[in-house]
Amino acid sequence: MRRLRNDDGATAVMVAILMVVLVGMAAFAVDMGSMHLQNRELQNSADAGALAIAQQCAAGSCPDDEDAEALFYAGANSTSGGGFFENTAADADLNVTAQKVTVTATGDNTPLFRGVLGVGDSTFARSATAIWGPPASLVSSIPLTISECEFDNAIPMPGALADPAALEAAVASGSIGTPPFPAGEITFNFHSPTDISGCPEGPPGSDHPGGFGWLEPDDDDDTTDCETSSDTSGMFSTSTGASIPCDKDEFAALRGTVVPLPVYEYVKGKGDNAEYKMAGFAAFFLSGWRFPSFTGDSYATGSPPCSPPDTCISGWFTSATLADGGEVDFGAGGGGVNVVQLIG
Protein backbone atom coordinates (compact mmCIF):
# COMPACT_ATOMS: atom_id res chain seq x y z
CA MET A 1 0.00 0.00 0.00
CA ARG A 2 1.45 3.39 -1.05
CA ARG A 3 1.97 5.86 1.77
CA LEU A 4 0.43 9.30 1.29
CA ARG A 5 2.83 12.25 1.10
CA ASN A 6 3.11 14.10 4.39
CA ASP A 7 1.97 17.76 3.91
CA ASP A 8 2.46 18.74 7.52
CA GLY A 9 3.64 22.38 7.76
CA ALA A 10 2.35 23.45 4.32
CA THR A 11 -0.57 25.30 5.84
CA ALA A 12 1.72 27.17 8.18
CA VAL A 13 3.89 28.26 5.26
CA MET A 14 0.86 29.49 3.33
CA VAL A 15 -0.44 31.34 6.37
CA ALA A 16 2.95 32.98 6.86
CA ILE A 17 3.04 34.10 3.22
CA LEU A 18 -0.53 35.39 3.35
CA MET A 19 0.14 37.19 6.64
CA VAL A 20 2.89 39.19 4.95
CA VAL A 21 0.47 40.16 2.19
CA LEU A 22 -2.32 40.96 4.63
CA VAL A 23 -0.07 43.00 6.91
CA GLY A 24 1.27 44.85 3.88
CA MET A 25 -2.24 45.64 2.69
CA ALA A 26 -3.24 46.77 6.17
CA ALA A 27 -0.16 48.95 6.39
CA PHE A 28 -0.90 50.45 3.01
CA ALA A 29 -4.53 51.13 4.01
CA VAL A 30 -3.54 52.73 7.33
CA ASP A 31 -0.86 54.90 5.78
CA MET A 32 -3.09 55.95 2.89
CA GLY A 33 -5.77 56.92 5.41
CA SER A 34 -3.17 58.88 7.34
CA MET A 35 -2.09 60.75 4.21
CA HIS A 36 -5.70 61.49 3.27
CA LEU A 37 -6.33 62.84 6.76
CA GLN A 38 -3.27 65.06 6.54
CA ASN A 39 -4.27 66.43 3.15
CA ARG A 40 -7.68 67.31 4.53
CA GLU A 41 -6.07 68.79 7.64
CA LEU A 42 -3.71 70.91 5.61
CA GLN A 43 -6.51 72.15 3.35
CA ASN A 44 -8.54 73.21 6.39
CA SER A 45 -5.49 75.01 7.76
CA ALA A 46 -4.82 76.80 4.46
CA ASP A 47 -8.49 77.80 4.13
CA ALA A 48 -8.57 79.18 7.68
CA GLY A 49 -5.39 81.19 7.22
CA ALA A 50 -6.47 82.69 3.89
CA LEU A 51 -9.92 83.64 5.17
CA ALA A 52 -8.55 85.18 8.36
CA ILE A 53 -6.03 87.38 6.53
CA ALA A 54 -8.56 88.40 3.88
CA GLN A 55 -11.10 89.36 6.54
CA GLN A 56 -8.55 91.56 8.30
CA CYS A 57 -7.61 93.25 5.05
CA ALA A 58 -11.28 93.74 4.14
CA ALA A 59 -11.76 95.48 7.49
CA GLY A 60 -8.94 97.87 6.59
CA SER A 61 -6.06 96.43 8.60
CA CYS A 62 -3.91 93.77 6.96
CA PRO A 63 -1.58 91.94 9.39
CA ASP A 64 1.97 93.25 9.76
CA ASP A 65 3.39 89.71 9.42
CA GLU A 66 1.12 87.69 7.14
CA ASP A 67 3.28 84.54 7.43
CA ALA A 68 2.96 84.53 11.23
CA GLU A 69 -0.77 85.18 10.89
CA ALA A 70 -1.15 82.31 8.44
CA LEU A 71 0.71 79.94 10.76
CA PHE A 72 -1.33 81.02 13.79
CA TYR A 73 -4.71 80.44 12.15
CA ALA A 74 -3.54 77.28 10.39
CA GLY A 75 -2.46 75.83 13.74
CA ALA A 76 -5.57 77.04 15.55
CA ASN A 77 -7.78 75.32 12.99
CA SER A 78 -5.99 71.96 12.93
CA THR A 79 -7.62 69.06 14.76
CA SER A 80 -4.89 68.97 17.41
CA GLY A 81 -4.79 72.76 17.84
CA GLY A 82 -1.16 73.02 16.78
CA GLY A 83 -0.66 70.92 13.67
CA PHE A 84 -1.78 67.29 13.48
CA PHE A 85 1.39 66.14 11.73
CA GLU A 86 5.05 66.87 12.17
CA ASN A 87 6.67 70.13 11.08
CA THR A 88 3.41 71.81 10.05
CA ALA A 89 4.17 75.22 8.54
CA ALA A 90 2.30 77.91 6.66
CA ASP A 91 3.22 80.96 4.61
CA ALA A 92 1.17 83.67 2.89
CA ASP A 93 1.51 85.47 -0.43
CA LEU A 94 -0.39 88.72 0.12
CA ASN A 95 -1.18 91.15 -2.71
CA VAL A 96 -3.02 94.12 -1.24
CA THR A 97 -3.36 95.87 -4.61
CA ALA A 98 -5.09 92.84 -6.15
CA GLN A 99 -6.99 92.25 -2.87
CA LYS A 100 -5.91 88.63 -2.82
CA VAL A 101 -4.00 86.31 -0.47
CA THR A 102 -2.79 82.74 -0.97
CA VAL A 103 -1.84 80.63 2.04
CA THR A 104 0.14 77.40 1.65
CA ALA A 105 0.21 74.92 4.53
CA THR A 106 2.83 72.15 4.55
CA GLY A 107 3.55 69.17 6.78
CA ASP A 108 5.56 65.94 6.98
CA ASN A 109 3.82 62.60 7.25
CA THR A 110 5.72 59.82 9.03
CA PRO A 111 4.44 56.43 7.78
CA LEU A 112 3.25 54.06 10.46
CA PHE A 113 4.02 50.84 8.59
CA ARG A 114 5.61 51.74 5.28
CA GLY A 115 8.81 52.60 7.09
CA VAL A 116 9.38 48.86 7.48
CA LEU A 117 9.67 48.76 3.69
CA GLY A 118 12.17 51.59 3.69
CA VAL A 119 9.73 54.36 2.85
CA GLY A 120 10.60 57.61 4.60
CA ASP A 121 8.63 60.74 5.50
CA SER A 122 6.45 62.38 2.87
CA THR A 123 5.91 66.15 2.60
CA PHE A 124 2.50 67.45 1.65
CA ALA A 125 1.30 70.95 0.79
CA ARG A 126 -2.12 72.44 0.27
CA SER A 127 -3.00 76.01 -0.77
CA ALA A 128 -6.04 78.27 -0.52
CA THR A 129 -6.66 81.66 -2.14
CA ALA A 130 -9.10 84.25 -0.83
CA ILE A 131 -10.11 87.61 -2.28
CA TRP A 132 -11.97 90.51 -0.72
CA GLY A 133 -13.98 93.38 -2.17
CA PRO A 134 -17.49 94.72 -2.73
CA PRO A 135 -20.27 92.15 -3.10
CA ALA A 136 -22.03 91.28 -6.34
CA SER A 137 -25.32 90.82 -4.49
CA LEU A 138 -26.68 91.47 -1.05
CA VAL A 139 -29.66 90.90 1.22
CA SER A 140 -30.39 94.15 3.04
CA SER A 141 -32.24 94.14 6.35
CA ILE A 142 -34.34 97.19 5.40
CA PRO A 143 -35.95 97.81 1.98
CA LEU A 144 -34.27 101.13 1.19
CA THR A 145 -31.94 102.27 -1.56
CA ILE A 146 -29.98 105.52 -1.75
CA SER A 147 -28.58 107.25 -4.80
CA GLU A 148 -24.93 107.13 -5.81
CA CYS A 149 -25.05 110.93 -6.04
CA GLU A 150 -26.10 111.24 -2.40
CA PHE A 151 -23.50 108.76 -1.23
CA ASP A 152 -20.74 110.61 -3.09
CA ASN A 153 -21.88 113.92 -1.61
CA ALA A 154 -21.89 112.49 1.91
CA ILE A 155 -18.64 110.56 1.55
CA PRO A 156 -16.31 112.53 -0.75
CA MET A 157 -13.40 110.24 0.14
CA PRO A 158 -13.03 106.74 1.69
CA GLY A 159 -11.49 108.17 4.86
CA ALA A 160 -14.77 109.94 5.64
CA LEU A 161 -16.42 106.68 6.74
CA ALA A 162 -17.21 106.59 10.45
CA ASP A 163 -15.26 104.11 12.57
CA PRO A 164 -17.56 101.10 13.22
CA ALA A 165 -15.82 100.38 16.53
CA ALA A 166 -16.50 103.93 17.74
CA LEU A 167 -20.18 103.61 16.84
CA GLU A 168 -20.46 100.27 18.64
CA ALA A 169 -18.74 101.71 21.71
CA ALA A 170 -21.08 104.70 21.72
CA VAL A 171 -24.14 102.43 21.64
CA ALA A 172 -22.71 100.29 24.44
CA SER A 173 -21.77 103.17 26.75
CA GLY A 174 -24.35 105.85 26.02
CA SER A 175 -28.03 106.29 25.40
CA ILE A 176 -30.15 108.10 22.87
CA GLY A 177 -29.19 111.76 22.76
CA THR A 178 -26.11 111.16 24.90
CA PRO A 179 -22.49 111.59 23.69
CA PRO A 180 -20.03 110.25 22.63
CA PHE A 181 -21.52 109.68 19.17
CA PRO A 182 -19.26 111.03 16.41
CA ALA A 183 -19.99 114.25 14.57
CA GLY A 184 -21.27 114.26 11.02
CA GLU A 185 -24.58 112.42 11.36
CA ILE A 186 -26.24 112.36 7.94
CA THR A 187 -29.97 112.88 7.32
CA PHE A 188 -31.68 111.73 4.12
CA ASN A 189 -35.07 113.21 3.25
CA PHE A 190 -37.37 111.43 0.85
CA HIS A 191 -40.97 111.75 -0.34
CA SER A 192 -40.57 115.17 1.22
CA PRO A 193 -41.06 118.83 0.28
CA THR A 194 -37.60 119.58 1.62
CA ASP A 195 -34.80 118.20 -0.55
CA ILE A 196 -31.39 118.62 1.07
CA SER A 197 -29.51 116.11 -1.07
CA GLY A 198 -28.21 118.50 -3.72
CA CYS A 199 -28.76 115.76 -6.29
CA PRO A 200 -30.84 116.11 -9.48
CA GLU A 201 -34.38 114.79 -9.59
CA GLY A 202 -36.69 114.01 -12.44
CA PRO A 203 -36.23 112.13 -15.68
CA PRO A 204 -35.03 108.54 -16.09
CA GLY A 205 -31.27 108.39 -15.67
CA SER A 206 -31.36 110.88 -12.79
CA ASP A 207 -32.34 110.34 -9.17
CA HIS A 208 -35.77 109.32 -8.05
CA PRO A 209 -37.59 112.33 -6.53
CA GLY A 210 -36.27 112.75 -3.00
CA GLY A 211 -33.00 111.02 -3.78
CA PHE A 212 -33.87 107.51 -2.65
CA GLY A 213 -36.87 105.36 -1.85
CA TRP A 214 -38.36 102.07 -0.82
CA LEU A 215 -37.69 98.79 -2.55
CA GLU A 216 -40.13 95.92 -2.68
CA PRO A 217 -39.37 93.51 0.19
CA ASP A 218 -38.57 89.95 -0.79
CA ASP A 219 -41.64 88.00 -1.84
CA ASP A 220 -42.03 85.22 0.70
CA ASP A 221 -44.60 83.84 3.13
CA ASP A 222 -43.69 86.38 5.82
CA THR A 223 -45.44 89.58 4.76
CA THR A 224 -43.80 91.55 7.61
CA ASP A 225 -40.24 90.72 6.53
CA CYS A 226 -38.19 93.87 5.86
CA GLU A 227 -35.39 92.10 3.96
CA THR A 228 -34.84 92.84 0.29
CA SER A 229 -32.41 91.25 -2.17
CA SER A 230 -30.61 93.04 -4.97
CA ASP A 231 -27.50 92.77 -7.11
CA THR A 232 -25.36 94.84 -9.45
CA SER A 233 -26.67 93.25 -12.66
CA GLY A 234 -30.47 93.56 -12.56
CA MET A 235 -33.27 96.11 -12.14
CA PHE A 236 -35.27 96.24 -8.91
CA SER A 237 -38.81 97.51 -8.36
CA THR A 238 -39.73 100.41 -6.14
CA SER A 239 -42.40 100.42 -3.45
CA THR A 240 -44.28 103.71 -3.50
CA GLY A 241 -45.65 105.74 -0.62
CA ALA A 242 -44.12 107.32 2.45
CA SER A 243 -44.95 104.54 4.94
CA ILE A 244 -42.54 101.65 5.41
CA PRO A 245 -43.59 98.53 3.47
CA CYS A 246 -42.83 96.07 6.29
CA ASP A 247 -43.21 95.48 10.03
CA LYS A 248 -42.41 98.54 12.18
CA ASP A 249 -41.10 96.50 15.13
CA GLU A 250 -38.68 94.67 12.87
CA PHE A 251 -37.48 97.97 11.44
CA ALA A 252 -37.16 99.59 14.89
CA ALA A 253 -35.05 96.70 16.20
CA LEU A 254 -32.31 97.70 13.73
CA ARG A 255 -31.67 101.11 15.31
CA GLY A 256 -28.09 101.21 16.57
CA THR A 257 -26.89 98.59 14.08
CA VAL A 258 -25.17 98.66 10.70
CA VAL A 259 -27.57 97.94 7.85
CA PRO A 260 -26.28 97.35 4.31
CA LEU A 261 -28.03 99.64 1.81
CA PRO A 262 -28.12 99.20 -1.98
CA VAL A 263 -26.74 102.26 -3.80
CA TYR A 264 -28.35 102.87 -7.20
CA GLU A 265 -26.73 104.56 -10.19
CA TYR A 266 -29.92 105.40 -12.03
CA VAL A 267 -33.67 104.94 -11.91
CA LYS A 268 -35.88 104.01 -14.84
CA GLY A 269 -39.54 104.95 -14.98
CA LYS A 270 -41.74 106.73 -12.47
CA GLY A 271 -44.08 105.89 -9.62
CA ASP A 272 -45.18 102.25 -9.44
CA ASN A 273 -43.18 101.50 -12.59
CA ALA A 274 -39.86 102.83 -11.30
CA GLU A 275 -36.91 100.44 -11.24
CA TYR A 276 -33.45 100.92 -9.78
CA LYS A 277 -30.11 99.83 -11.24
CA MET A 278 -27.63 99.20 -8.42
CA ALA A 279 -24.03 100.42 -8.49
CA GLY A 280 -22.94 98.82 -5.22
CA PHE A 281 -23.70 98.67 -1.52
CA ALA A 282 -23.10 100.97 1.45
CA ALA A 283 -22.86 100.21 5.17
CA PHE A 284 -25.14 102.58 7.11
CA PHE A 285 -25.37 102.85 10.90
CA LEU A 286 -29.09 103.48 11.45
CA SER A 287 -29.57 106.18 14.07
CA GLY A 288 -33.09 107.57 13.70
CA TRP A 289 -36.04 108.15 11.35
CA ARG A 290 -39.35 109.84 10.87
CA PHE A 291 -42.16 108.29 8.84
CA PRO A 292 -45.92 108.85 9.06
CA SER A 293 -47.02 107.69 12.54
CA PHE A 294 -43.61 106.08 13.12
CA THR A 295 -40.66 107.95 14.64
CA GLY A 296 -37.30 106.87 15.98
CA ASP A 297 -35.25 109.52 17.82
CA SER A 298 -31.71 110.08 16.60
CA TYR A 299 -29.00 108.51 18.73
CA ALA A 300 -26.96 111.69 18.38
CA THR A 301 -29.61 114.31 19.24
CA GLY A 302 -32.38 112.48 21.06
CA SER A 303 -34.93 114.01 18.66
CA PRO A 304 -36.44 112.97 15.33
CA PRO A 305 -34.00 113.76 12.52
CA CYS A 306 -36.60 115.80 10.57
CA SER A 307 -39.91 117.56 11.17
CA PRO A 308 -43.36 117.10 9.60
CA PRO A 309 -44.27 116.87 6.81
CA ASP A 310 -40.81 115.58 5.86
CA THR A 311 -39.86 111.90 6.15
CA CYS A 312 -36.26 110.84 6.63
CA ILE A 313 -33.65 108.55 8.12
CA SER A 314 -30.39 109.51 9.82
CA GLY A 315 -27.10 107.85 10.66
CA TRP A 316 -23.50 107.44 9.61
CA PHE A 317 -21.86 105.71 6.67
CA THR A 318 -19.34 103.23 8.01
CA SER A 319 -17.67 99.98 6.96
CA ALA A 320 -18.67 96.35 7.35
CA THR A 321 -17.35 92.96 6.31
CA LEU A 322 -20.04 90.35 5.68
CA ALA A 323 -19.06 86.79 6.53
CA ASP A 324 -21.60 85.22 4.16
CA GLY A 325 -21.75 87.87 1.48
CA GLY A 326 -21.22 85.59 -1.51
CA GLU A 327 -19.19 86.56 -4.57
CA VAL A 328 -16.90 89.56 -4.94
CA ASP A 329 -17.61 92.06 -7.73
CA PHE A 330 -14.52 94.23 -8.22
CA GLY A 331 -16.50 96.40 -10.64
CA ALA A 332 -19.06 97.39 -8.02
CA GLY A 333 -18.91 100.73 -6.25
CA GLY A 334 -17.04 100.76 -2.95
CA GLY A 335 -19.61 101.84 -0.38
CA GLY A 336 -17.92 100.41 2.69
CA VAL A 337 -19.33 96.88 2.42
CA ASN A 338 -16.86 94.07 1.72
CA VAL A 339 -17.15 90.32 1.45
CA VAL A 340 -14.50 87.60 1.51
CA GLN A 341 -14.54 84.77 -1.02
CA LEU A 342 -12.47 81.59 -1.32
CA ILE A 343 -11.59 81.09 -4.99
CA GLY A 344 -9.17 78.18 -4.80
Side-chain angles (χ1 to χ4, degrees):
M1 182 176 180
R2 179 188 302 175
R3 296 185 59 186
L4 296 174
R5 187 174 59 186
N6 187 355
D7 290 332
D8 291 347
T11 301
V13 172
M14 290 296 296
V15 169
I17 294 173
L18 291 174
M19 281 297 295
V20 173
V21 175
L22 291 173
V23 169
M25 292 178 64
F28 179 78
V30 170
D31 283 343
M32 287 299 293
S34 174
M35 288 186 290
H36 175 74
L37 179 61
Q38 181 174 23
N39 280 326
R40 186 175 63 182
E41 170 105 353
L42 290 173
Q43 190 63 61
N44 289 340
S45 296
D47 290 350
L51 287 172
I53 294 172
Q55 287 170 354
Q56 293 177 55
C57 291
S61 180
C62 289
D64 294 331
D65 187 342
E66 60 268 22
D67 289 339
E69 202 77 5
L71 181 59
F72 172 79
Y73 281 97
N77 285 273
S78 64
T79 54
S80 64
F84 189 83
F85 297 88
E86 296 180 29
N87 303 324
T88 299
D91 60 81
D93 179 13
L94 176 61
N95 188 329
V96 178
T97 302
Q99 297 178 204
K100 180 174 71 173
V101 60
T102 298
V103 169
T104 301
T106 59
D108 292 338
N109 176 270
T110 301
L112 301 176
F113 293 102
R114 288 177 301 135
V116 177
L117 304 176
V119 179
D121 291 355
S122 299
T123 299
F124 296 91
R126 285 293 181 269
S127 296
T129 298
I131 57 176
W132 67 92
S137 61
L138 183 140
V139 178
S140 181
S141 47
I142 59 176
L144 282 173
T145 179
I146 62 173
S147 73
E148 193 173 28
C149 170
E150 285 188 311
F151 178 82
D152 291 341
N153 284 354
I155 307 296
M157 59 187 65
L161 293 174
D163 181 4
L167 291 170
E168 291 176 6
V171 171
S173 63
S175 59
I176 294 177
T178 301
F181 281 90
E185 184 184 29
I186 300 164
T187 298
F188 291 115
N189 285 26
F190 70 111
H191 295 297
S192 301
T194 306
D195 180 15
I196 59 174
S197 69
C199 295
E201 298 179 2
S206 298
D207 287 345
H208 192 274
F212 76 108
W214 297 114
L215 293 170
E216 287 286 355
D218 289 342
D219 185 13
D220 55 28
D221 294 334
D222 185 0
T223 57
T224 67
D225 194 350
C226 287
E227 290 185 344
T228 185
S229 302
S230 58
D231 58 53
T232 54
S233 62
M235 300 292 293
F236 297 90
S237 299
T238 184
S239 178
T240 58
S243 299
I244 67 170
C246 62
D247 184 71
K248 293 180 180 179
D249 290 338
E250 183 178 336
F251 189 100
L254 297 170
R255 180 168 52 180
T257 69
V258 175
V259 293
L261 293 180
V263 178
Y264 69 86
E265 57 185 335
Y266 67 87
V267 60
K268 177 182 178 182
K270 296 181 179 180
D272 291 339
N273 296 319
E275 292 182 312
Y276 295 100
K277 172 66 173 64
M278 304 309 173
F281 303 94
F284 191 72
F285 179 93
L286 182 62
S287 172
W289 58 86
R290 186 196 173 276
F291 304 118
S293 303
F294 180 44
T295 299
D297 291 339
S298 161
Y299 261 112
T301 66
S303 302
C306 62
S307 300
D310 290 340
T311 55
C312 61
I313 63 169
S314 65
W316 292 265
F317 284 117
T318 183
S319 59
T321 301
L322 306 182
D324 55 351
E327 294 186 0
V328 170
D329 178 7
F330 285 119
V337 178
N338 283 300
V339 296
V340 172
Q341 178 188 355
L342 273 176
I343 61 171

